[in-house]
Amino acid sequence: MLCMANSWGIKFNLRRAVALLVVICTGATLAACSATGGRPRGGASGGGGGGVDTPRYTVAMVSHGAPGDTFWDLVRAGAEDAAKKNNLELRYSSSPQAPDQANLVQNAIDSNVDGLALTMPTPEALGPVAKRAAKAGIPVVGLNSGMEHYKKYDVSAFFGQDESVAGERAGERLAKDGAKKVLCVIHEQGNPSQESRCAGIKKGLGGGSVENLYVNGMDLTSVQSTVQAKLAQQKDIDWVMGLVAPVALTAVQAKEQAGSEAKISTFDTNAELVAAIKKGTIEWAVDQQPYLQGYMAIDALWLAKRNGSTVGGGQPVLTGPSFVDKSNVDTIADAAKEGLR
């Protein structure tokens, strides 16, 4: 009888243990599920470094950036970070000449890339080839330039700023700062975005005057001599407005050589420009966040491949304008040193 009792006790304890184990496992399973009954949450991604483990795609970015232009270094840095995060191979290329840029886009199409990001400073040259890419089934997004035209060429999204609005805001800031005669330095002839900036400045300035000065932005020595000659001839110019950081920094030297009292501001930033704002040789900059433009464009291509997303719902996603001056320059100074602003 004693043996039978012990046997029954063992069986009873086993049953209790099994029942308890079922309860524990059921509770653990429920804890792993979402509140709405979704699938259990997995652990950290196996991609490493915050990346994803989705299929590896190849995407291209084709810009009109000129060699040595630090603005495009920032765009590319953002694109590379997004590509790394999303397990993408990024093929970046650029040319300031519209026909060459169109050829680079066609090369990307011919190599069967999985996504394409491009700038369209000259829509009549870049638009048709962008449309060709979309027709071939390649997701296409635009950035930086071409906001007024991208929809016409079946480009699904755009990341940048409205240059007319940015120019008008700059003009309003100049008027507030007391500018009367502004020299607007255009460094890429035939680029409608730059013309829009200067036209916006004139509109925002109101009662003052704005004169456009055309220079070759790829030759900063020539830029300095041209701006210097203008400032020496017209001592009443009280403000120089650059449209890119290297030109504005060159204008600082031109001003000193001309003996001019003109103040200098600009569109766009880089590390040297940020330092100049802190020093006071540049008054302020209009920032369109080029790193963000590059990052969001490549991120959008990954989303298009991942689940067919269209960022912005067909409307432009604005990355600017905002102003960087002495009051807030310290907040981006470290990022600028790292090539991120």
Side-chain angles (χ1 to χ4, degrees), residues 26-247:
T26 301
T29 301
L30 289 174
C33 295
S34 69
T36 56
R39 66 181 181 180
R41 295 174 182 167
S45 169
V52 299
D53 58 0
T54 51
R56 187 162 179 82
Y57 299 117
T58 298
V59 298
M61 176 176 283
V62 182
S63 83
H64 64 281
D69 190 333
T70 53
F71 177 90
W72 294 103
D73 292 340
L74 298 175
V75 173
R76 185 172 182 175
E80 289 175 343
D81 280 357
K84 182 178 180 181
K85 183 200 72 170
N86 293 323
N87 190 31
L88 302 173
E89 178 188 341
L90 173 65
R91 298 177 182 174
Y92 179 90
S93 58
S94 67
S95 173
Q97 305 300 324
D100 293 338
Q101 189 186 355
N103 288 335
L104 291 172
V105 174
Q106 184 60 55
N107 290 342
I109 297 171
D110 294 341
S111 63
N112 297 313
V113 295
D114 297 296
L116 171 66
L118 80 164
T119 63
M120 291 197 295
T122 48
E124 64 277 7
L126 277 301
V129 70
K131 193 167 188 175
R132 203 175 303 148
K135 189 175 181 180
I138 300 172
V140 183
V141 301
L143 69 151
N144 182 258
S145 58
M147 180 182 290
E148 300 86 358
H149 306 280
Y150 76 96
K151 293 181 183 178
K152 176 181 176 182
Y153 298 108
D154 298 335
V155 176
S156 63
F158 182 89
F159 306 94
Q161 71 180 2
D162 186 316
E163 302 295 2
S164 296
V165 171
E168 190 171 349
R169 296 291 176 271
E172 292 170 354
R173 176 73 179 258
L174 288 167
K176 183 179 178 181
D177 289 346
K180 300 298 181 183
K181 187 169 184 178
V182 179
L183 186 68
C184 193
V185 184
I186 295 177
H187 60 279
E188 291 177 0
Q189 292 193 44
N191 186 333
S193 295
Q194 296 186 19
E195 298 284 351
S196 294
R197 286 181 178 181
C198 291
I201 289 171
K202 185 174 183 179
K203 182 178 179 181
L205 187 62
S209 66
V210 178
E211 180 181 353
N212 293 353
L213 178 68
Y214 294 90
V215 299
N216 179 5
M218 291 185 287
D219 184 353
L220 292 179
T221 300
S222 173
V223 170
Q224 180 175 340
S225 62
T226 304
V227 174
Q228 180 178 327
K230 191 70 174 178
L231 293 177
Q233 293 166 5
Q234 299 185 24
K235 296 293 187 180
D236 57 341
I237 294 174
D238 59 3
W239 217 289
V240 177
M241 194 73 203
L243 302 185
V244 69
V247 169

